[in-house]
Structures are given as C-alpha cells and as structure tokens.
Amino acid sequence: MVDVKLLGFSFSPFAHRVIWALKFKGITYEYIEEDSKNKSQLLLQSNPVYKKVPVLIHGGKAIAESSVILEYIEETWPENPLLPKDNHERALARFWIKFGEDSIVSTLFLRPTEDEQERARAMKKAQETLTIMEEEGLGHKKFFGGNNIGMVDIVYGCLGHWLEGWEEIVGMKTIEASKFPGLHAWIQNFKQVPVIKENLPDYGKLLLHLERRRQEFII
C-alpha cells in the first residue's frame, strides 16, 4: 500500500519541484491532481493555512510548502542525496535555495504592463538577479549542484520551462544566451535530464494556462 501522496496541480512549478525530488529518490507515490478553482476537502484539511499545493502526505501526516517538503524528503529518504554531504557546501546550497525562494517568482516572472518606465525598472531588477545567479551561484559548473542535479537546481527548475513560457506570453526576454551564457546552458542541460524531461507539463497547455494568468494580472 502506497503511504505517500502528493496533492499537486499540473502547471504548478512548485508541485513539480516535489515530483522531481520524489522521482530522483525513487519513491513510489500517489499523485492527486487538484483543481485550483475548486479545491478539495483533502487539500483544505491538509494545508489549512495557505490552502494551496503542493502538499505531501506521508503516513497520513501532511507537509506543506515545496521547500519544506524538499527538506522532509531529503531527511526521510537520504538515499540519492540532493544536498551535499559537506556541512559548508550544504549551508551554501540552502543559501541559494533561500535566494531563489525570495527572488525567482517576484523578480523574474515580470508582470505585463504598458508603463515603459515600470517595464524598464522590472527588467533591470531581473537582470541584476540573473547576474548574481550566474556569477555567484552557478559559476562555471554544469549544474548548481555541480556535475549532477541537486536541490538548488530543482528549486530553480521553473526557469527552464515556466519562465520561457511566461517570456513568450508577455514578450519580455530575460535569459538570453548572449547575456547569460551560463544560465542559458544550464536550462538546456537541466531540461535534458531524463527525470526532468519526462516530468514537464505539456508546453502548449502551459502557455494557455500562463495566458489565463496574464489576463488575471491585467484585470
């Protein structure tokens, strides 16, 4: 009997973080798709504070918030580790996870606007964030985790599919190969890893979802 359940949503990058981690660990789980407009009683009971996915239910006990779930998975199933063994390297990984949590969605997923000055300010901030990610976080490594994908890569994974779709929808390109060659190469490498490639949402359907989100922003 499967005692691990994941409440998710097909187009949620946060739910996909958990999916990737479970897949890398080789953990068998039951996936339960949630309707973002009609949330189930199970979701509301499992995450009464935020009332959103993802939620991991293990042995009947619920854990919410993707970064917290990733830590729980790493501690509960230590095989195929996603964090470095060295204490200092592990602390650095957690630093970049926190940096990503604070900046990726708010800074890089730029809201559509007709105000040119606002667009310029938002783009400037996004470029500054990407520069930090490339120069200080990624450096000359293939992945943030080194030669292999680690937890930092999983947290930053939305840059490889969701951000590309969002850029297409709003018409603002942020990660260009000429400006950020390291991050651009990282995205391509990340998406070609079998566990990632096999567990990405359909791009066409994702674009439709993002377009609906764009309309919500405008309204």
Side-chain angles (χ1 to χ4, degrees):
M1 179 179 178
V2 177
D3 67 346
V4 179
K5 296 182 176 65
L6 174 62
L7 310 185
F9 174 57
S10 297
F11 305 117
S12 166
F14 305 104
H16 276 78
R17 289 176 177 177
V18 181
I19 290 172
W20 296 331
L22 292 170
K23 294 287 187 179
F24 273 116
K25 294 282 188 177
I27 300 165
T28 300
Y29 66 97
E30 176 187 353
Y31 177 78
I32 301 173
E33 176 76 4
E34 285 288 335
D35 182 344
S36 60
K37 301 296 184 182
N38 185 25
K39 299 176 181 179
S40 72
Q41 197 60 35
L42 178 60
L43 174 58
L44 298 177
Q45 290 174 347
S46 301
N47 189 2
V49 176
Y50 293 115
K51 302 177 176 63
K52 62 182 182 180
V53 300
V55 175
L56 186 76
I57 303 175
H58 180 211
K61 297 178 180 179
I63 306 99
E65 291 296 290
S66 63
S67 58
V68 177
I69 295 171
L70 292 178
E71 287 276 359
Y72 179 85
I73 290 172
E74 181 74 354
E75 293 173 357
T76 305
W77 296 281
E79 59 274 13
N80 302 322
L82 296 172
L83 285 172
K85 292 182 179 180
D86 179 79
N87 287 341
H88 181 255
E89 292 297 321
R90 192 182 306 121
L92 286 178
R94 288 192 170 111
F95 170 86
W96 288 110
I97 289 169
K98 180 65 166 61
F99 182 85
E101 290 288 279
D102 291 343
S103 61
I104 288 178
V105 174
S106 61
T107 304
L108 303 183
F109 286 77
L110 306 175
R111 293 197 175 199
T113 175
E114 298 301 322
D115 187 313
E116 290 299 324
Q117 289 187 335
E118 185 178 340
R119 283 168 66 95
R121 283 194 299 268
M123 180 59 76
K124 182 175 183 292
K125 185 176 181 182
Q127 299 285 310
E128 291 171 350
T129 298
L130 289 168
T131 298
I132 293 172
M133 288 179 180
E134 172 144 329
E135 295 181 358
E136 304 297 334
L138 182 61
H140 299 291
K141 302 188 296 293
K142 182 178 181 180
F143 297 110
F144 286 89
N147 292 325
N148 300 305
I149 283 182
M151 196 179 293
V152 179
D153 300 280
I154 287 175
V155 169
Y156 285 35
C158 61
L159 299 179
H161 204 59
W162 286 261
L163 180 59
E164 290 175 333
W166 189 245
E167 288 173 338
E168 185 172 336
I169 291 296
V170 302
M172 296 176 71
K173 187 68 176 176
T174 51
I175 302 181
E176 297 181 273
S178 59
K179 293 183 178 179
F180 301 103
L183 283 173
H184 187 270
W186 170 81
I187 288 172
Q188 307 315 312
N189 291 329
F190 181 80
K191 293 199 300 180
Q192 290 306 309
V193 173
V195 167
I196 305 301
K197 187 176 183 179
E198 295 165 9
N199 293 281
L200 286 171
D202 178 86
Y203 191 68
K205 293 179 180 178
L206 176 63
L207 286 179
L208 292 175
H209 167 71
L210 293 174
E211 175 59 28
R212 288 193 292 268
R213 292 298 309 276
R214 187 184 75 87
Q215 293 297 330
E216 291 173 5
F217 284 141
I218 293 174
I219 293 171

PDB file of all heavy atoms in Angstrom, residues 145-172:
ATOM      1  N   GLY A 145      24.284  22.161  -8.507  1.00  0.00           N
ATOM      2  CA  GLY A 145      24.756  21.093  -7.633  1.00  0.00           C
ATOM      3  C   GLY A 145      26.085  20.498  -8.059  1.00  0.00           C
ATOM      4  O   GLY A 145      26.533  19.512  -7.484  1.00  0.00           O
ATOM      5  N   GLY A 146      26.714  21.055  -9.088  1.00  0.00           N
ATOM      6  CA  GLY A 146      27.992  20.523  -9.576  1.00  0.00           C
ATOM      7  C   GLY A 146      27.798  19.785 -10.889  1.00  0.00           C
ATOM      8  O   GLY A 146      27.175  20.292 -11.828  1.00  0.00           O
ATOM      9  N   ASN A 147      28.307  18.552 -10.951  1.00  0.00           N
ATOM     10  CA  ASN A 147      28.143  17.750 -12.171  1.00  0.00           C
ATOM     11  C   ASN A 147      26.781  17.082 -12.249  1.00  0.00           C
ATOM     12  O   ASN A 147      26.375  16.598 -13.307  1.00  0.00           O
ATOM     13  CB  ASN A 147      29.239  16.678 -12.251  1.00  0.00           C
ATOM     14  CG  ASN A 147      30.610  17.280 -12.482  1.00  0.00           C
ATOM     15  OD1 ASN A 147      30.745  18.277 -13.189  1.00  0.00           O
ATOM     16  ND2 ASN A 147      31.632  16.694 -11.876  1.00  0.00           N
ATOM     17  N   ASN A 148      26.099  17.016 -11.114  1.00  0.00           N
ATOM     18  CA  ASN A 148      24.785  16.381 -11.056  1.00  0.00           C
ATOM     19  C   ASN A 148      23.760  17.347 -10.476  1.00  0.00           C
ATOM     20  O   ASN A 148      24.097  18.267  -9.726  1.00  0.00           O
ATOM     21  CB  ASN A 148      24.837  15.109 -10.191  1.00  0.00           C
ATOM     22  CG  ASN A 148      25.807  14.081 -10.740  1.00  0.00           C
ATOM     23  OD1 ASN A 148      25.712  13.673 -11.886  1.00  0.00           O
ATOM     24  ND2 ASN A 148      26.771  13.681  -9.911  1.00  0.00           N
ATOM     25  N   ILE A 149      22.503  17.115 -10.809  1.00  0.00           N
ATOM     26  CA  ILE A 149      21.427  17.953 -10.292  1.00  0.00           C
ATOM     27  C   ILE A 149      21.288  17.763  -8.787  1.00  0.00           C
ATOM     28  O   ILE A 149      21.330  16.648  -8.269  1.00  0.00           O
ATOM     29  CB  ILE A 149      20.100  17.607 -10.995  1.00  0.00           C
ATOM     30  CG1 ILE A 149      20.075  18.225 -12.394  1.00  0.00           C
ATOM     31  CG2 ILE A 149      18.898  18.093 -10.191  1.00  0.00           C
ATOM     32  CD1 ILE A 149      18.804  17.979 -13.149  1.00  0.00           C
ATOM     33  N   GLY A 150      21.120  18.880  -8.085  1.00  0.00           N
ATOM     34  CA  GLY A 150      20.882  18.853  -6.646  1.00  0.00           C
ATOM     35  C   GLY A 150      19.625  19.641  -6.312  1.00  0.00           C
ATOM     36  O   GLY A 150      18.861  20.047  -7.210  1.00  0.00           O
ATOM     37  N   MET A 151      19.421  19.891  -5.046  1.00  0.00           N
ATOM     38  CA  MET A 151      18.198  20.556  -4.618  1.00  0.00           C
ATOM     39  C   MET A 151      18.105  21.983  -5.132  1.00  0.00           C
ATOM     40  O   MET A 151      17.011  22.473  -5.442  1.00  0.00           O
ATOM     41  CB  MET A 151      18.073  20.530  -3.100  1.00  0.00           C
ATOM     42  CG  MET A 151      16.672  20.857  -2.605  1.00  0.00           C
ATOM     43  SD  MET A 151      16.490  20.792  -0.814  1.00  0.00           S
ATOM     44  CE  MET A 151      16.720  19.044  -0.499  1.00  0.00           C
ATOM     45  N   VAL A 152      19.233  22.689  -5.235  1.00  0.00           N
ATOM     46  CA  VAL A 152      19.197  24.052  -5.765  1.00  0.00           C
ATOM     47  C   VAL A 152      18.671  24.040  -7.195  1.00  0.00           C
ATOM     48  O   VAL A 152      17.830  24.876  -7.569  1.00  0.00           O
ATOM     49  CB  VAL A 152      20.591  24.713  -5.706  1.00  0.00           C
ATOM     50  CG1 VAL A 152      20.525  26.121  -6.287  1.00  0.00           C
ATOM     51  CG2 VAL A 152      21.108  24.758  -4.275  1.00  0.00           C
ATOM     52  N   ASP A 153      19.133  23.114  -8.008  1.00  0.00           N
ATOM     53  CA  ASP A 153      18.653  23.012  -9.383  1.00  0.00           C
ATOM     54  C   ASP A 153      17.150  22.753  -9.426  1.00  0.00           C
ATOM     55  O   ASP A 153      16.434  23.328 -10.262  1.00  0.00           O
ATOM     56  CB  ASP A 153      19.385  21.873 -10.105  1.00  0.00           C
ATOM     57  CG  ASP A 153      20.878  22.089 -10.162  1.00  0.00           C
ATOM     58  OD1 ASP A 153      21.344  22.851 -11.024  1.00  0.00           O
ATOM     59  OD2 ASP A 153      21.581  21.506  -9.319  1.00  0.00           O
ATOM     60  N   ILE A 154      16.677  21.908  -8.552  1.00  0.00           N
ATOM     61  CA  ILE A 154      15.250  21.594  -8.504  1.00  0.00           C
ATOM     62  C   ILE A 154      14.441  22.840  -8.148  1.00  0.00           C
ATOM     63  O   ILE A 154      13.402  23.114  -8.749  1.00  0.00           O
ATOM     64  CB  ILE A 154      14.991  20.447  -7.507  1.00  0.00           C
ATOM     65  CG1 ILE A 154      15.497  19.127  -8.109  1.00  0.00           C
ATOM     66  CG2 ILE A 154      13.510  20.339  -7.159  1.00  0.00           C
ATOM     67  CD1 ILE A 154      15.414  17.950  -7.167  1.00  0.00           C
ATOM     68  N   VAL A 155      14.929  23.621  -7.179  1.00  0.00           N
ATOM     69  CA  VAL A 155      14.236  24.841  -6.784  1.00  0.00           C
ATOM     70  C   VAL A 155      14.221  25.849  -7.933  1.00  0.00           C
ATOM     71  O   VAL A 155      13.228  26.545  -8.151  1.00  0.00           O
ATOM     72  CB  VAL A 155      14.892  25.447  -5.527  1.00  0.00           C
ATOM     73  CG1 VAL A 155      14.363  26.855  -5.251  1.00  0.00           C
ATOM     74  CG2 VAL A 155      14.634  24.556  -4.317  1.00  0.00           C
ATOM     75  N   TYR A 156      15.314  25.927  -8.690  1.00  0.00           N
ATOM     76  CA  TYR A 156      15.418  26.880  -9.789  1.00  0.00           C
ATOM     77  C   TYR A 156      14.815  26.333 -11.090  1.00  0.00           C
ATOM     78  O   TYR A 156      14.830  27.002 -12.116  1.00  0.00           O
ATOM     79  CB  TYR A 156      16.884  27.234 -10.042  1.00  0.00           C
ATOM     80  CG  TYR A 156      17.501  28.164  -9.022  1.00  0.00           C
ATOM     81  CD1 TYR A 156      17.153  28.111  -7.670  1.00  0.00           C
ATOM     82  CD2 TYR A 156      18.457  29.092  -9.392  1.00  0.00           C
ATOM     83  CE1 TYR A 156      17.731  28.945  -6.746  1.00  0.00           C
ATOM     84  CE2 TYR A 156      19.040  29.943  -8.461  1.00  0.00           C
ATOM     85  CZ  TYR A 156      18.669  29.866  -7.135  1.00  0.00           C
ATOM     86  OH  TYR A 156      19.234  30.707  -6.212  1.00  0.00           O
ATOM     87  N   GLY A 157      14.267  25.144 -11.037  1.00  0.00           N
ATOM     88  CA  GLY A 157      13.821  24.458 -12.249  1.00  0.00           C
ATOM     89  C   GLY A 157      12.777  25.197 -13.059  1.00  0.00           C
ATOM     90  O   GLY A 157      12.695  25.009 -14.278  1.00  0.00           O
ATOM     91  N   CYS A 158      11.985  26.054 -12.424  1.00  0.00           N
ATOM     92  CA  CYS A 158      10.940  26.773 -13.162  1.00  0.00           C
ATOM     93  C   CYS A 158      11.526  27.732 -14.192  1.00  0.00           C
ATOM     94  O   CYS A 158      10.825  28.162 -15.112  1.00  0.00           O
ATOM     95  CB  CYS A 158      10.023  27.527 -12.211  1.00  0.00           C
ATOM     96  SG  CYS A 158      10.852  28.775 -11.203  1.00  0.00           S
ATOM     97  N   LEU A 159      12.823  28.065 -14.079  1.00  0.00           N
ATOM     98  CA  LEU A 159      13.453  28.934 -15.068  1.00  0.00           C
ATOM     99  C   LEU A 159      13.549  28.246 -16.426  1.00  0.00           C
ATOM    100  O   LEU A 159      13.700  28.911 -17.450  1.00  0.00           O
ATOM    101  CB  LEU A 159      14.860  29.343 -14.607  1.00  0.00           C
ATOM    102  CG  LEU A 159      14.966  30.131 -13.308  1.00  0.00           C
ATOM    103  CD1 LEU A 159      16.431  30.418 -12.991  1.00  0.00           C
ATOM    104  CD2 LEU A 159      14.184  31.432 -13.404  1.00  0.00           C
ATOM    105  N   GLY A 160      13.486  26.930 -16.428  1.00  0.00           N
ATOM    106  CA  GLY A 160      13.702  26.195 -17.658  1.00  0.00           C
ATOM    107  C   GLY A 160      12.468  25.920 -18.487  1.00  0.00           C
ATOM    108  O   GLY A 160      12.582  25.458 -19.604  1.00  0.00           O
ATOM    109  N   HIS A 161      11.297  26.177 -18.011  1.00  0.00           N
ATOM    110  CA  HIS A 161      10.082  25.843 -18.754  1.00  0.00           C
ATOM    111  C   HIS A 161       9.028  26.927 -18.540  1.00  0.00           C
ATOM    112  O   HIS A 161       8.529  27.522 -19.483  1.00  0.00           O
ATOM    113  CB  HIS A 161       9.565  24.484 -18.289  1.00  0.00           C
ATOM    114  CG  HIS A 161       8.711  23.755 -19.278  1.00  0.00           C
ATOM    115  ND1 HIS A 161       9.138  23.395 -20.536  1.00  0.00           N
ATOM    116  CD2 HIS A 161       7.428  23.303 -19.195  1.00  0.00           C
ATOM    117  CE1 HIS A 161       8.176  22.758 -21.180  1.00  0.00           C
ATOM    118  NE2 HIS A 161       7.126  22.700 -20.381  1.00  0.00           N
ATOM    119  N   TRP A 162       8.746  27.200 -17.285  1.00  0.00           N
ATOM    120  CA  TRP A 162       7.740  28.188 -16.945  1.00  0.00           C
ATOM    121  C   TRP A 162       8.171  29.597 -17.341  1.00  0.00           C
ATOM    122  O   TRP A 162       7.386  30.351 -17.907  1.00  0.00           O
ATOM    123  CB  TRP A 162       7.405  28.126 -15.459  1.00  0.00           C
ATOM    124  CG  TRP A 162       6.585  26.944 -15.074  1.00  0.00           C
ATOM    125  CD1 TRP A 162       5.234  26.911 -14.880  1.00  0.00           C
ATOM    126  CD2 TRP A 162       7.050  25.606 -14.842  1.00  0.00           C
ATOM    127  NE1 TRP A 162       4.827  25.645 -14.544  1.00  0.00           N
ATOM    128  CE2 TRP A 162       5.918  24.811 -14.511  1.00  0.00           C
ATOM    129  CE3 TRP A 162       8.301  25.001 -14.876  1.00  0.00           C
ATOM    130  CZ2 TRP A 162       6.003  23.468 -14.223  1.00  0.00           C
ATOM    131  CZ3 TRP A 162       8.403  23.657 -14.594  1.00  0.00           C
ATOM    132  CH2 TRP A 162       7.263  22.898 -14.276  1.00  0.00           C
ATOM    133  N   LEU A 163       9.416  29.958 -17.045  1.00  0.00           N
ATOM    134  CA  LEU A 163       9.883  31.296 -17.393  1.00  0.00           C
ATOM    135  C   LEU A 163       9.919  31.479 -18.902  1.00  0.00           C
ATOM    136  O   LEU A 163       9.549  32.535 -19.414  1.00  0.00           O
ATOM    137  CB  LEU A 163      11.270  31.560 -16.794  1.00  0.00           C
ATOM    138  CG  LEU A 163      11.853  32.949 -17.103  1.00  0.00           C
ATOM    139  CD1 LEU A 163      10.940  34.053 -16.575  1.00  0.00           C
ATOM    140  CD2 LEU A 163      13.256  33.094 -16.518  1.00  0.00           C
ATOM    141  N   GLU A 164      10.339  30.450 -19.621  1.00  0.00           N
ATOM    142  CA  GLU A 164      10.352  30.539 -21.079  1.00  0.00           C
ATOM    143  C   GLU A 164       8.945  30.795 -21.619  1.00  0.00           C
ATOM    144  O   GLU A 164       8.748  31.610 -22.519  1.00  0.00           O
ATOM    145  CB  GLU A 164      10.920  29.251 -21.674  1.00  0.00           C
ATOM    146  CG  GLU A 164      12.406  29.071 -21.425  1.00  0.00           C
ATOM    147  CD  GLU A 164      12.921  27.731 -21.922  1.00  0.00           C
ATOM    148  OE1 GLU A 164      12.137  26.767 -21.976  1.00  0.00           O
ATOM    149  OE2 GLU A 164      14.112  27.659 -22.248  1.00  0.00           O
ATOM    150  N   GLY A 165       7.970  30.096 -21.052  1.00  0.00           N
ATOM    151  CA  GLY A 165       6.583  30.304 -21.461  1.00  0.00           C
ATOM    152  C   GLY A 165       6.084  31.691 -21.106  1.00  0.00           C
ATOM    153  O   GLY A 165       5.415  32.361 -21.907  1.00  0.00           O
ATOM    154  N   TRP A 166       6.435  32.153 -19.912  1.00  0.00           N
ATOM    155  CA  TRP A 166       6.000  33.471 -19.456  1.00  0.00           C
ATOM    156  C   TRP A 166       6.619  34.561 -20.321  1.00  0.00           C
ATOM    157  O   TRP A 166       5.963  35.542 -20.676  1.00  0.00           O
ATOM    158  CB  TRP A 166       6.365  33.664 -17.996  1.00  0.00           C
ATOM    159  CG  TRP A 166       5.785  34.897 -17.372  1.00  0.00           C
ATOM    160  CD1 TRP A 166       6.452  35.985 -16.892  1.00  0.00           C
ATOM    161  CD2 TRP A 166       4.393  35.171 -17.145  1.00  0.00           C
ATOM    162  NE1 TRP A 166       5.582  36.906 -16.395  1.00  0.00           N
ATOM    163  CE2 TRP A 166       4.307  36.440 -16.539  1.00  0.00           C
ATOM    164  CE3 TRP A 166       3.215  34.471 -17.413  1.00  0.00           C
ATOM    165  CZ2 TRP A 166       3.097  37.025 -16.189  1.00  0.00           C
ATOM    166  CZ3 TRP A 166       2.000  35.053 -17.054  1.00  0.00           C
ATOM    167  CH2 TRP A 166       1.950  36.310 -16.455  1.00  0.00           C
ATOM    168  N   GLU A 167       7.894  34.376 -20.696  1.00  0.00           N
ATOM    169  CA  GLU A 167       8.555  35.336 -21.572  1.00  0.00           C
ATOM    170  C   GLU A 167       7.841  35.414 -22.915  1.00  0.00           C
ATOM    171  O   GLU A 167       7.676  36.499 -23.487  1.00  0.00           O
ATOM    172  CB  GLU A 167      10.014  34.929 -21.784  1.00  0.00           C
ATOM    173  CG  GLU A 167      10.897  35.126 -20.566  1.00  0.00           C
ATOM    174  CD  GLU A 167      12.285  34.554 -20.752  1.00  0.00           C
ATOM    175  OE1 GLU A 167      12.458  33.661 -21.612  1.00  0.00           O
ATOM    176  OE2 GLU A 167      13.198  35.010 -20.052  1.00  0.00           O
ATOM    177  N   GLU A 168       7.426  34.266 -23.417  1.00  0.00           N
ATOM    178  CA  GLU A 168       6.719  34.232 -24.698  1.00  0.00           C
ATOM    179  C   GLU A 168       5.377  34.942 -24.595  1.00  0.00           C
ATOM    180  O   GLU A 168       4.963  35.668 -25.511  1.00  0.00           O
ATOM    181  CB  GLU A 168       6.519  32.778 -25.144  1.00  0.00           C
ATOM    182  CG  GLU A 168       5.902  32.634 -26.513  1.00  0.00           C
ATOM    183  CD  GLU A 168       5.891  31.196 -27.006  1.00  0.00           C
ATOM    184  OE1 GLU A 168       6.731  30.381 -26.546  1.00  0.00           O
ATOM    185  OE2 GLU A 168       5.033  30.883 -27.864  1.00  0.00           O
ATOM    186  N   ILE A 169       4.701  34.768 -23.470  1.00  0.00           N
ATOM    187  CA  ILE A 169       3.381  35.367 -23.287  1.00  0.00           C
ATOM    188  C   ILE A 169       3.466  36.887 -23.151  1.00  0.00           C
ATOM    189  O   ILE A 169       2.696  37.626 -23.771  1.00  0.00           O
ATOM    190  CB  ILE A 169       2.691  34.767 -22.034  1.00  0.00           C
ATOM    191  CG1 ILE A 169       2.312  33.297 -22.271  1.00  0.00           C
ATOM    192  CG2 ILE A 169       1.450  35.584 -21.652  1.00  0.00           C
ATOM    193  CD1 ILE A 169       1.285  33.084 -23.348  1.00  0.00           C
ATOM    194  N   VAL A 170       4.402  37.383 -22.330  1.00  0.00           N
ATOM    195  CA  VAL A 170       4.463  38.827 -22.055  1.00  0.00           C
ATOM    196  C   VAL A 170       5.393  39.572 -23.000  1.00  0.00           C
ATOM    197  O   VAL A 170       5.440  40.800 -23.000  1.00  0.00           O
ATOM    198  CB  VAL A 170       4.872  39.104 -20.589  1.00  0.00           C
ATOM    199  CG1 VAL A 170       3.902  38.444 -19.629  1.00  0.00           C
ATOM    200  CG2 VAL A 170       6.309  38.643 -20.314  1.00  0.00           C
ATOM    201  N   GLY A 171       6.153  38.831 -23.818  1.00  0.00           N
ATOM    202  CA  GLY A 171       7.023  39.474 -24.784  1.00  0.00           C
ATOM    203  C   GLY A 171       8.235  40.153 -24.192  1.00  0.00           C
ATOM    204  O   GLY A 171       8.692  41.185 -24.686  1.00  0.00           O
ATOM    205  N   MET A 172       8.777  39.589 -23.108  1.00  0.00           N
ATOM    206  CA  MET A 172       9.966  40.151 -22.471  1.00  0.00           C
ATOM    207  C   MET A 172      10.969  39.027 -22.241  1.00  0.00           C
ATOM    208  O   MET A 172      10.712  38.116 -21.456  1.00  0.00           O
ATOM    209  CB  MET A 172       9.608  40.818 -21.140  1.00  0.00           C
ATOM    210  CG  MET A 172       8.689  42.017 -21.284  1.00  0.00           C
ATOM    211  SD  MET A 172       8.189  42.724 -19.683  1.00  0.00           S
ATOM    212  CE  MET A 172       9.732  43.469 -19.154  1.00  0.00           C
TER     213      MET A 172
END
